[in-house]
């Protein structure tokens, strides 16, 4: 087989941190009905101007019904030698039940794409609660240490991330995302300000059961990073979104509900907090005291896909746009209202998300969709 | 007594044309420099002058000027005037040279080689006049995991948190004992701490009854002399601080001479009037880290686990490993006192030649604790040489939760850094117990000056944070990416964990 590689070895990304602006979009059907990736790709395509062709990607839940219980590792690899290394790392803790190259459409632009591989695997032994989370974390960290030769796009159950260098519509075309059907989708287009672009640096970022798309820049990156390092996370991809994904992962490992996760990432101001009633105030104050280092400071809008739902959140000052719209049991999220109107001209309600207030929407449960 | 060969360090110039012979200088000088001669002239015994500038500031007709006496001999780049004087003084006295305040030698000042960041375009700066800027912080142990009960949407805390103390801004007044400073000075600090929502520290001077209204803002220190330590004392403080060492004199004990131990100091410290108050170099019940653990838990037991226990050490070469041991021994707060930290009295050689700049100490301890996964459990406090809001922010970016101000607080009260606190003659009424001098610090007016200083720093901190695009202090702690080094070699940058100016994020 011919070795393919991207120009990963000469780019900055993965070595320095890149600030970037972006477009994000999300979709979920509250009844859990699965739709193909065309909708979210169309939303992203409309926001073409918000990306500069240096990175785009999609994540979807519910795309592997035939492998629901398996952990789907999506990998970006430099070559087959790296693949063998990665396989050895996987084999330490997982039994690989199925593996193949991720099917792509070979368009002219992607003659030199990296090797994209998919494994479905089962964990070998799990002796205690939380062991799986740690296993996925440790395995991901171990593989990402090989960056930029290898990076994990995603590793969750029934979850897949597809990303790379290009405009959102190019990446959608390349990965054939209209061929996958999922009940929730998130999409992303990057506008990094000073990088040649690198496949592993595109969004979504995913770890375990969460995938994140993010528009923004974190002034708190240094603090967030050092706190996460204290808890054993390694920032090998050096983008703000990596930190965001790991922070969410860490908080979920602490058994925190999504509204509480949002309260850590974008906590109420102290003045607001003083006005809350007990015991809500006490809890909010404790969250700030204990997890203050994971407060995400600076402009951001994020959409997080998790098992069974989506969460959308803006920074406390609302320094990035994020709009939601509903139509029947569908929820749409996008950086721009136009993207929602494009795919859903008859949206019943369209509203901008307020700063610091999470919108959490869960599928398959009636009226589980609420504003936290 | 043979004639001293040492020329005076300072020269007192009196403009006879302006001088009205009002004798204010005679009254103002704590060191007995000025005197009225039989012929009505006012003379100055320059040998005694310490250049505290009190007489200069107070002279109603501005007739006085005090300058350094540069012409003392053929000093050169190697044999500075300071070194010559030290040798002559020791040749005459046969003793170690005493001094006060912090190390004043020109070792590198890392603060002055660090620059802060600001936002442009990709990340908006924030206007502190329009948006809230949160500079509150907490000290105390943090649980590894918050235990939460209740169904989603109705969660509440499942149990109490370990005790913590809230600071409305990330500074506290450093330990300064009643004895080393006057009661009025202690009261000024206490009042200002209360007004600003921060803490002051009793030092090892015990607790004066006048401090009653300020207990909520008081850190009580347990030092090797254990002066004034009883259960009422421990109960009164919000934080208990075990003092192992002090940046100005690492490894050295303390000594308050008997002549300064007046009745009130004796009562506060629980010792006889006129007796020397000696703090041994080590705690005689702490010869190892296990012993420290016992003391930490003794104090926690004694206060029913209601107070965070801090351990203060001088920053020394092995500080990272020591700090890690202290955390493992159960301390909730680790205080690192750097090379520049002040003191009421210390041997000059010790003060000037032992220790580590606090910038390095905080950086290496923060890193070590993170490597060991301990950093998020405890608070780290920096002391020793914080001169401005910029220093404060830089030390927070290097990893501190808060900083102690000692010298800066005394300067706000009028101190002119003459480094003669050990004489007990402080003309500014700060480091003295002489009632004619101590009344010069009015607790109310002093507190107001301290509040002014801290308020000014608050404004500056908020401007800095706004420029960085950060609106909560917790996002600055350990945020080394907001710092860049200028003029530092690579290994120093590595120790600080900071990138070279010019390097990207
Ligand atoms: S008041 Fe201070 S400066 Fe003035 S003569 Fe006395 S010691 Fe010197
Ligand atoms: S406190 Fe007084 S004696 Fe000490 S340095 Fe300041 S002015 Fe001099």
């Amino acid at each position: 087989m011919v070795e393919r590689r991207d120009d990963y070895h000469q780019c900055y990304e993965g070595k320095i941190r890149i600030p970037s602006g972006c477009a994000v979009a999300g979709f979920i059907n509250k009844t859990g009905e699965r739709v193909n990736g065309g909708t979210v790709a169309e939303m992203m395509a409309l926001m073409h101007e918000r990306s500069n062709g240096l990175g785009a990607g999609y994540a979807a839940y519910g795309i592997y019904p035939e492998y629901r219980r398996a952990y789907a590792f999506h990998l970006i690899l430099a070559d087959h030698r790296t693949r063998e290394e990665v396989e050895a790392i996987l084999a330490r803790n997982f039994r690989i039940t199925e593996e193949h190259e991720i099917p792509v459409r070979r368009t002219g632009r992607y003659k030199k794409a990296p090797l994209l591989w998919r494994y479905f695997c089962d964990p070998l032994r799990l002796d205690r609660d939380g062991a799986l989370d740690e296993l996925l974390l440790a395995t991901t960290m171990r593989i990402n240490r090989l960056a930029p030769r290898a990076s994990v796009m995603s590793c969750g159950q029934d979850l897949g991330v597809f990303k790379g260098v290009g405009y959102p519509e190019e990446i959608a075309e390349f990965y054939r995302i209209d061929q996958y059907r999922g009940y929730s989708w998130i999409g992303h287009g990057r506008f990094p300000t000073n990088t040649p672009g690198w496949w592993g640096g595109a969004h979504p970022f995913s770890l375990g059961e969460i995938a994140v798309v993010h528009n923004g820049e974190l002034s708190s990156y240094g603090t967030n990073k050092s706190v996460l390092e204290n808890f054993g996370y390694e920032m090998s991809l050096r983008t703000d979104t990596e930190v965001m994904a790991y922070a969410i992962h860490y908080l979920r490992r602490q058994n925190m509900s999504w509204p509480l996760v949002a309260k850590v990432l974008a906590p109420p101001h102290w003045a607001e907090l003083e006005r809350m009633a007990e015991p809500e105030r006490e809890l909010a104050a404790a969250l700030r005291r204990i997890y203050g280092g994971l407060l995400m400071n600076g402009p951001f809008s994020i959409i997080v896909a998790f098992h069974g739902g989506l969460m959308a959140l803006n920074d406390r000052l609302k320094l990035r746009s994020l709009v939601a719209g509903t139509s029947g049991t569908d929820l749409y999220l996008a950086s721009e209202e136009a993207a929602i109107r494009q795919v859903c001209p008859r949206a019943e309600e369209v509203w901008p998300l307020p700063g610091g207030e999470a919108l959490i929407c869960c599928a398959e449960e009636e009226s589980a969709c609420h504003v936290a | 007594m043979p004639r001293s060969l040492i020329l005076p360090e300072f020269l007192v110039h009196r403009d006879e044309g302006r001088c009205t012979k009002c004798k204010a200088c005679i009254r103002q000088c704590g060191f007995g420099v000025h005197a009225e001669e039989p012929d009505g002239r006012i003379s100055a015994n320059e040998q005694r002058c310490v250049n505290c500038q009190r007489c200069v500031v107070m002279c109603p007709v501005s007739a006085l000027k005090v300058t350094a006496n540069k012409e003392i001999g053929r000093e050169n780049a190697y044999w500075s005037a300071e070194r010559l004087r030290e040798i002559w003084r020791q040749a005459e006295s046969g003793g170690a040279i005493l001094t006060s305040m912090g190390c004043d030698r020109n070792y590198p000042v890392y603060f002055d080689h660090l620059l802060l960041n600001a936002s442009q375009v990709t990340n908006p700066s924030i206007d502190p006049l329009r948006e809230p800027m949160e500079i509150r912080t907490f000290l105390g142990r943090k649980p590894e995991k918050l235990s939460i009960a209740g169904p989603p949407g109705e969660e509440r805390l499942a149990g109490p948190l370990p005790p913590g103390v809230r600071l409305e801004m990330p500074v506290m007044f450093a330990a300064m004992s009643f004895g080393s400073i006057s009661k009025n000075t202690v009261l000024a600090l206490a009042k200002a701490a209360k007004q600003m929502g921060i803490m002051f520290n009793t030092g090892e001077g015990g607790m004066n009854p006048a401090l009653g209204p300020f207990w909520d803002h008081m850190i009580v220190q347990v030092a090797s002399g254990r002066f004034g330590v009883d259960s009422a004392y421990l109960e009164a403080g919000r934080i208990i601080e075990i003092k192992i060492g002090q940046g100005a004199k690492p490894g050295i004990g303390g000594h308050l001479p008997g002549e300064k131990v007046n009745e009130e100091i004796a009562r506060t410290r629980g010792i006889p009037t006129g007796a020397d108050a000696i703090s041994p170099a080590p705690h005689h019940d702490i010869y190892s880290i296990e012993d420290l653990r016992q003391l930490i838990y003794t104090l926690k037991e004694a206060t029913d686990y209601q107070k965070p226990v801090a351990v203060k050490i001088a920053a020394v070469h092995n500080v990272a490993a020591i700090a890690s041991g202290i955390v493992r021994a159960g301390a909730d707060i680790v205080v690192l006192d750097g090379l520049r930290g002040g003191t009421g009295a210390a041997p000059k050689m010790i003060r000037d030649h032992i220790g580590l700049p606090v910038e390095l100490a905080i950086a290496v301890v923060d890193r070590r604790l993170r490597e060991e996964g301990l950093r998020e459990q405890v608070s780290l406090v920096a002391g020793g040489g914080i001169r401005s809001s910029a220093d404060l922010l830089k030390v927070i970016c290097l990893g501190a939760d808060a900083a102690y101000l000692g010298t800066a607080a005394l300067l706000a009260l009028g101190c002119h850094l003459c480094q003669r606190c050990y004489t007990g003659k402080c003309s500014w009424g700060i480091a003295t117990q002489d009632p004619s001098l101590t009344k010069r610090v009015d607790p109310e007016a002093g507190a107001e000056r301290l509040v002014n200083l801290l308020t000014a720093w608050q404004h500056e901190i908020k401007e800095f944070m706004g420029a960085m695009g950060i609106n909560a202090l917790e996002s600055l702690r350990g945020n080394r990416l907001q710092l860049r080094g200028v003029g530092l070699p690579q290994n120093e940058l590595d120790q600080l964990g900071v990138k070279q100016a010019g390097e990207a994020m």
Side-chain angles (χ1 to χ4, degrees):
Chain A
M1 189 171 213
V2 197
E3 299 276 90
R4 281 181 318 229
R5 56 196 181 90
D6 194 23
D7 45 352
Y8 62 87
H9 54 284
Q10 56 186 352
C11 70
Y12 295 129
E13 198 148 11
K15 300 197 185 82
I16 57 166
R17 196 171 127 253
I18 312 294
S20 63
C22 305
V24 296
F27 168 86
I28 186 167
N29 179 280
K30 291 174 211 168
T31 60
E33 190 189 311
R34 299 189 302 131
V35 304
N36 79 40
T39 307
V40 77
E42 195 181 343
M43 288 165 87
M44 291 307 306
L46 185 101
M47 298 186 285
H48 179 92
E49 290 301 318
R50 299 179 73 93
S51 320
N52 64 0
L54 292 180
Y58 301 89
Y61 256 107
I63 54 174
Y64 296 132
E66 61 279 33
Y67 295 104
R68 277 186 86 147
R69 308 241 146 257
Y71 292 85
F73 277 83
H74 283 203
L75 288 149
I76 302 174
L77 302 164
D79 47 38
H80 283 282
R81 224 194 43 207
T82 312
R83 183 179 56 79
E84 280 155 26
E85 277 176 69
V86 166
E87 228 166 275
I89 295 174
L90 277 177
R92 281 197 230 172
N93 295 303
F94 292 91
R95 191 170 56 85
I96 298 169
T97 53
E98 161 86 42
E99 62 164 305
H100 50 250
E101 194 169 357
I102 297 175
V104 295
R105 272 190 201 112
R106 294 258 155 246
T107 52
R109 188 177 187 325
Y110 291 109
K111 286 211 180 82
K112 278 196 342 177
L115 187 58
L116 302 159
W117 212 264
R118 176 158 66 195
Y119 295 93
F120 291 101
C121 32
D122 299 324
L124 283 181
R125 54 196 162 267
L126 293 175
D127 30 17
R128 64 204 153 73
D129 265 12
L132 183 73
D133 274 340
E134 277 162 41
L135 200 61
L136 289 173
L137 173 65
T139 306
T140 304
M141 297 287 133
R142 234 175 258 144
I143 296 174
N144 283 350
R145 244 173 256 159
L146 302 174
R149 286 193 299 124
S151 71
V152 178
M153 286 195 278
S154 59
C155 62
Q157 280 173 315
D158 213 6
L159 163 72
V161 168
F162 307 91
K163 62 182 181 180
V165 172
Y167 280 101
E169 56 276 19
E170 293 171 335
I171 287 293
E173 169 82 4
F174 175 67
Y175 278 106
R176 308 156 63 245
I177 71 158
D178 51 342
Q179 303 292 307
Y180 295 91
R181 289 162 58 80
Y183 61 81
S184 74
W185 282 92
I186 54 178
H188 188 264
R190 287 185 85 196
F191 201 126
T193 38
N194 59 353
T195 167
W198 174 56
W199 285 62
H203 303 202
F205 273 87
S206 179
L207 180 57
E209 301 293 306
I210 59 152
V212 186
V213 287
H214 164 227
N215 169 15
E217 185 182 335
L218 300 176
S219 317
S220 55
Y221 179 85
T223 300
N224 307 142
K225 172 174 177 282
S226 64
V227 170
L228 289 166
E229 278 170 356
N230 180 82
F231 295 126
Y233 291 80
E234 293 164 34
M235 298 336 107
S236 42
L237 309 174
R238 309 273 172 98
T239 80
D240 294 358
T241 315
E242 182 185 30
V243 152
M244 183 74 84
Y246 294 173
I248 294 170
H249 186 261
Y250 172 74
L251 294 169
R252 290 292 291 171
R253 270 169 75 204
Q254 307 277 303
N255 290 334
M256 254 184 230
S257 66
W258 284 103
L260 294 190
V261 170
K263 275 214 170 63
V264 172
L265 301 178
H269 290 284
W270 285 115
E272 253 170 84
L273 216 140
E274 304 301 347
R275 291 193 295 268
M276 289 178 181
E278 299 291 3
E280 197 195 349
R281 192 206 59 83
E282 190 191 35
L283 176 62
L287 287 172
R288 257 198 103 161
R289 190 182 139 200
I290 308 302
Y291 301 110
L294 294 178
L295 187 163
M296 298 291 154
N297 222 312
F300 72 81
S301 57
I302 56 169
I303 308 175
V304 188
F306 55 88
H307 216 103
L310 288 185
M311 176 176 84
L313 180 68
N314 257 147
D315 64 83
R316 318 195 282 170
L317 299 182
K318 180 75 179 164
L319 296 171
R320 283 286 188 270
S321 58
L322 190 56
V323 182
T326 51
S327 166
T329 53
D330 294 336
L331 172 76
Y332 300 87
L333 295 158
S335 298
E336 291 178 13
E337 181 175 339
I340 298 176
R341 301 274 182 206
Q342 168 78 12
V343 293
C344 181
R346 271 184 289 279
E348 286 145 19
E349 209 187 334
V350 176
W351 72 100
L353 293 192
E357 284 181 32
L359 175 73
I360 297 158
C361 183
C362 294
E364 288 161 330
E365 280 171 39
E366 278 219 306
S367 71
C369 181
H370 65 288
V371 178
Chain B
M1 207 169 98
R3 187 190 160 86
S4 169
L5 304 185
I6 315 173
L7 289 167
E9 227 178 319
F10 305 103
L11 300 176
V12 179
H13 313 272
R14 192 184 318 272
D15 183 337
E16 297 294 348
R18 288 188 181 181
C19 176
T20 60
K21 317 267 183 297
C22 73
K23 297 183 222 167
C25 53
I26 301 178
R27 292 188 300 275
Q28 290 297 332
C29 179
F31 295 84
V33 172
H34 305 278
E36 189 182 10
E37 296 297 321
D39 61 4
R41 262 183 334 105
I42 298 185
S43 66
N45 180 349
E46 290 169 325
Q47 287 287 3
R48 293 180 178 170
C49 177
V50 303
N51 196 9
C52 71
Q53 297 284 324
R54 176 80 187 184
C55 61
V56 180
V57 171
M58 291 298 163
C59 174
V61 291
S62 302
L64 287 169
K65 203 165 104 185
V66 174
T67 59
N69 183 8
K70 300 238 168 58
E71 309 302 326
I72 64 152
R74 288 296 299 272
E75 79 253 49
N76 59 41
Y78 190 69
W79 288 98
S80 64
E82 185 91 6
R83 301 291 89 74
L84 299 181
R85 261 203 201 91
E86 283 165 3
I87 295 218
W88 292 328
R89 270 177 73 181
Q90 292 190 306
E92 287 176 14
S93 72
I97 298 169
L98 264 189
T99 188
S100 302
M101 303 313 269
C103 170
D104 60 4
R105 293 180 62 123
N106 64 345
Y107 300 116
V109 178
Y110 291 100
F111 285 128
D112 297 341
H113 290 269
L114 292 172
L115 294 173
L116 288 157
N117 192 30
S119 302
Q120 299 284 287
V121 186
T122 55
N123 183 345
S125 42
I126 305 170
D127 182 352
L129 297 176
R130 279 185 48 194
E131 303 290 348
M133 282 289 160
E134 303 186 298
I135 57 171
R136 178 182 289 177
T137 192
F138 286 82
L139 298 182
R141 187 164 280 266
K142 295 195 270 182
E144 271 178 64
K145 184 174 170 182
L146 199 58
S147 39
I148 297 166
E154 289 165 43
E155 291 112 325
R156 58 193 155 70
L157 278 190
L161 289 182
V165 167
R166 183 167 110 187
L167 301 177
E168 295 301 342
M169 68 186 289
V171 295
M172 304 185 285
F173 296 129
M176 290 178 273
S177 67
F178 172 41
S180 74
I181 56 173
S182 68
K183 182 171 151 189
N184 279 359
T185 308
V186 174
L187 283 174
L189 291 165
K191 276 179 203 288
K194 182 171 182 175
Q195 207 173 320
M196 296 306 291
I198 61 167
M199 297 282 144
F200 74 102
N201 187 317
T202 60
E204 48 182 322
M207 175 178 62
N208 193 288
L211 291 175
F214 309 105
W215 282 4
D216 266 357
H217 298 272
M218 183 165 74
I219 299 176
V220 292
Q221 205 179 51
V222 175
S224 61
R226 302 287 155 85
F227 299 119
V229 178
D230 57 22
S231 56
Y233 175 75
L234 298 177
E235 278 304 330
R238 285 290 300 284
I239 297 175
I240 302 172
E241 180 177 272
I242 300 173
K243 176 193 168 184
I244 300 292
Q246 189 180 343
K249 43 180 175 180
I252 299 286
H255 179 188
L256 189 67
E259 54 273 20
K260 288 195 199 162
V261 180
N262 63 28
E263 206 183 308
E264 193 174 11
I265 290 178
R267 214 176 322 114
T268 316
R269 295 202 176 207
I271 55 172
T273 308
D276 286 7
I278 294 180
S279 304
H283 287 243
H284 281 306
D285 53 359
I286 304 180
Y287 282 23
S288 69
I289 197 88
E290 309 88 87
D291 294 346
L292 174 65
R293 184 178 175 82
Q294 284 195 3
L295 180 58
I296 292 173
Y297 279 92
T298 306
L299 295 172
K300 288 190 175 186
E301 283 288 338
T303 51
D304 210 14
Y305 294 84
Q306 293 304 307
K307 322 230 171 221
V309 172
V311 174
K312 172 177 174 176
I313 54 169
V316 290
H317 300 332
N318 201 22
V319 67
I322 298 166
S324 148
I326 290 172
V327 174
R328 291 175 195 279
D332 306 312
I333 302 166
V334 181
V335 182
L336 304 176
D337 197 17
L339 175 71
R340 305 283 174 176
T343 176
K348 193 171 177 200
M349 289 300 132
I350 300 284
R351 182 196 77 173
D352 290 352
H353 295 277
I354 300 185
L356 209 61
V358 70
E359 306 92 301
L360 279 175
I362 287 289
V364 300
V365 168
D366 180 70
R367 184 168 67 225
R368 171 66 73 93
L369 295 182
R370 288 192 190 291
E371 281 165 7
E372 299 186 13
L374 298 171
R375 177 64 185 91
E376 292 304 310
Q377 297 171 27
V378 291
S379 306
L380 208 51
V381 175
I386 310 293
R387 299 160 301 175
S388 64
S389 57
D391 287 357
L392 174 62
L393 276 186
K394 289 173 188 178
V395 86
I396 288 174
C397 288
L398 288 170
D401 287 275
Y404 266 140
L405 299 185
T407 304
L410 296 191
L411 286 170
L413 291 172
C415 162
H416 275 56
L417 213 56
C418 69
Q419 309 189 10
R420 292 303 192 288
C421 319
Y422 65 91
T423 62
K425 294 177 180 170
C426 177
S427 306
W428 293 91
I430 296 167
T432 176
Q433 303 306 326
D434 177 340
S436 67
L437 299 172
T438 57
K439 64 170 193 251
R440 292 177 183 181
V441 174
D442 170 47
E444 292 295 339
E448 199 182 312
R449 291 180 65 90
L450 289 163
V451 167
N452 282 345
L453 175 76
L454 295 184
T455 309
W457 284 23
Q458 281 191 358
H459 288 310
E460 291 171 343
I461 291 169
K462 291 178 180 181
E463 291 284 0
F464 271 121
M465 288 172 50
M468 284 188 263
I470 284 180
N471 62 4
L473 188 82
E474 47 258 61
S475 301
L476 267 189
R477 194 196 60 178
N479 199 340
R480 289 176 169 80
L481 283 174
Q482 298 295 338
L483 293 174
R484 287 293 183 278
V486 276
L488 293 174
Q490 189 58 45
N491 52 355
E492 289 180 341
L493 291 170
D494 291 345
Q495 288 306 321
L496 291 166
V498 165
K499 293 185 182 188
Q500 165 65 31
E503 277 187 65
M505 296 307 269

